[in-house]
Amino acid sequence: NGIITLEFNEVINPSTFTPTALTFRRGLNSNITYTLMSATRLTNARSSMLQFRLTDVAVNALKSLGIGLDRNNTAITFTEDLVQDIAEQSVQEETNGILATTVTEDQIRPSVVEFLSLDFNSHTLSIEFSEPIELPSFEASGFTIHSLNDPSMGLSQVLESTNISVSSNPTVYTIYLTREDVVFLRTTEGIATTTADTFLSVSANSVRDLTGNQLLPTTAALQLQLLVTDSTRPSFEGFTLDLNTGLLNLTFDDVMSAASFRGPSFRFRNDSIILFATQSYSLTSTTVPTTNDGFDVTVQISEMD
């Protein structure tokens, strides 16, 4: 619950508490620190105990830094501005660090807060969780894109990605879609065309938080907040040519319309550097695509070519 309790050797005046004077450290000998920006004071009466509640931002920041997971990685330092006693004497500065006496382990299961974005330029989707998650625990098969908010109905695609990263916000994560995911979402009518037909469901085995708590599964799929449509021109990545079968396979970095292939637009050369090429040949006759839309387009070239 983010409640911190500090005990002093005499009665202090809680109204003099200054959160920004307190810094958390991941253990006594660590250089990984986090200085509070704000906190809610819970102690009002003069006492030798001071309690305050951390903001959600602070709690998640500490978790992402590995602070507060157990006693040995939870220490504090503070300046004399932290608090004063009833005689208006400032507390003695602590620069070496003090380990926590006890740390109550996080037992609250994480959840997905929002399905933030699906970007067809970068082939990524962004998700906000309630707290930082453990990246190695990510299991893509626990994430499914749906066309309706009822996961049991409509179209769906179970993600195949194995790549996930965290943003500057420790609760926002980016999942990099596989080409199979992108092809399905881009070429299947009725799903991922607007925010109105794009929803996300997650299962308990999708991911864990930093203390090993399983994700809370969604009961109803979450609607997408932002769909970024494809506005980037595709790039040609390479090709293979089989002169026995006459099959030409072209690979791009985006989903291509196979029907849009135009043979005369492709020219073969005898050198990868155009200026050094001494011979070239452009396809002249009609070529027939033999694949559906995708990152790879395979065409059957004519016997003449």
Side-chain angles (χ1 to χ4, degrees):
N1 54 13
I3 293 179
I4 305 296
T5 302
L6 302 180
E7 183 176 1
F8 298 87
N9 63 350
E10 62 176 286
V11 176
I12 54 98
N13 181 357
S15 66
T16 63
F17 171 55
T18 304
T20 54
L22 183 66
T23 297
F24 287 87
R25 180 184 293 173
R26 196 169 76 180
L28 294 177
N29 300 314
S30 175
N31 293 323
I32 298 175
T33 62
Y34 179 82
T35 300
L36 288 185
M37 299 299 293
S38 63
T40 301
R41 177 167 51 86
L42 303 177
T43 301
N44 294 314
R46 294 181 176 186
S47 167
S48 61
M49 307 284 285
L50 173 65
Q51 274 197 337
F52 56 92
R53 186 189 302 276
L54 301 177
T55 64
D56 289 342
V57 171
V59 170
N60 288 329
L62 291 173
K63 288 180 179 179
S64 68
L65 294 171
I67 299 173
L69 301 183
D70 59 47
R71 178 177 178 272
N72 291 326
N73 60 31
T74 309
I76 60 170
T77 60
F78 47 84
T79 69
E80 62 179 12
D81 297 324
L82 178 66
V83 73
Q84 294 179 347
D85 65 14
I86 58 176
E88 298 184 352
Q89 297 295 316
S90 297
V91 68
Q92 184 175 344
E93 182 180 46
E94 174 59 54
T95 58
N96 294 324
I98 301 173
L99 279 177
T101 304
T102 59
V103 173
T104 302
E105 186 179 85
D106 175 21
Q107 296 180 342
I108 299 176
R109 296 174 67 179
S111 61
V112 175
V113 176
E114 266 192 320
F115 182 13
L116 296 173
S117 67
L118 174 60
D119 190 332
F120 281 126
N121 287 308
S122 61
H123 301 158
T124 61
L125 60 85
S126 295
I127 302 173
E128 181 179 4
F129 294 91
S130 59
E131 61 178 291
I133 61 168
E134 185 181 41
L135 292 179
S137 70
F138 170 68
E139 179 55 59
S141 62
F143 295 80
T144 305
I145 305 294
H146 304 273
S147 60
L148 300 172
N149 66 344
D150 183 348
S152 65
M153 302 177 64
L155 301 167
S156 64
Q157 170 73 2
V158 177
L159 298 186
E160 299 182 10
S161 174
T162 58
N163 195 358
I164 183 173
S165 67
V166 63
S167 70
S168 57
N169 182 336
T171 61
V172 174
Y173 292 78
T174 298
I175 297 176
Y176 298 85
L177 301 174
T178 64
R179 292 193 167 190
E180 289 75 17
D181 293 332
V182 175
V183 169
F184 178 87
L185 296 175
R186 288 287 308 279
T187 63
T188 305
E189 294 185 7
I191 186 171
T193 60
T194 69
T195 57
D197 64 7
T198 314
F199 298 82
L200 174 73
S201 70
V202 296
S203 62
N205 67 342
S206 302
V207 76
R208 296 176 181 270
D209 68 14
L210 298 177
T211 54
N213 298 309
Q214 276 193 328
L215 187 71
L216 280 172
T218 50
T219 54
L222 297 171
Q223 186 171 7
L224 176 66
Q225 299 301 303
L226 174 66
L227 177 67
V228 181
T229 57
D230 181 16
S231 60
T232 304
R233 296 179 65 178
S235 295
F236 181 55
E237 292 188 339
F239 72 98
T240 61
L241 175 62
D242 189 331
L243 293 178
N244 292 308
T245 61
L247 292 178
L248 171 64
N249 185 78
L250 308 169
T251 302
F252 300 85
D253 67 347
D254 205 348
V255 178
M256 307 301 292
S257 169
S260 69
F261 178 79
R262 298 293 180 266
S265 299
F266 288 83
R267 173 173 293 183
F268 296 92
R269 294 183 173 87
N270 64 346
D271 198 293
S272 60
I273 301 176
I274 297 177
L275 292 176
F276 293 166
T278 58
Q279 297 184 41
S280 64
Y281 179 80
S282 296
L283 296 178
T284 57
S285 59
T286 302
T287 54
V288 181
T290 62
T291 55
N292 297 322
D293 297 344
F295 286 83
D296 289 282
V297 176
T298 301
V299 294
Q300 177 73 58
I301 62 177
S302 67
E303 290 186 6
M304 181 185 302
D305 286 323

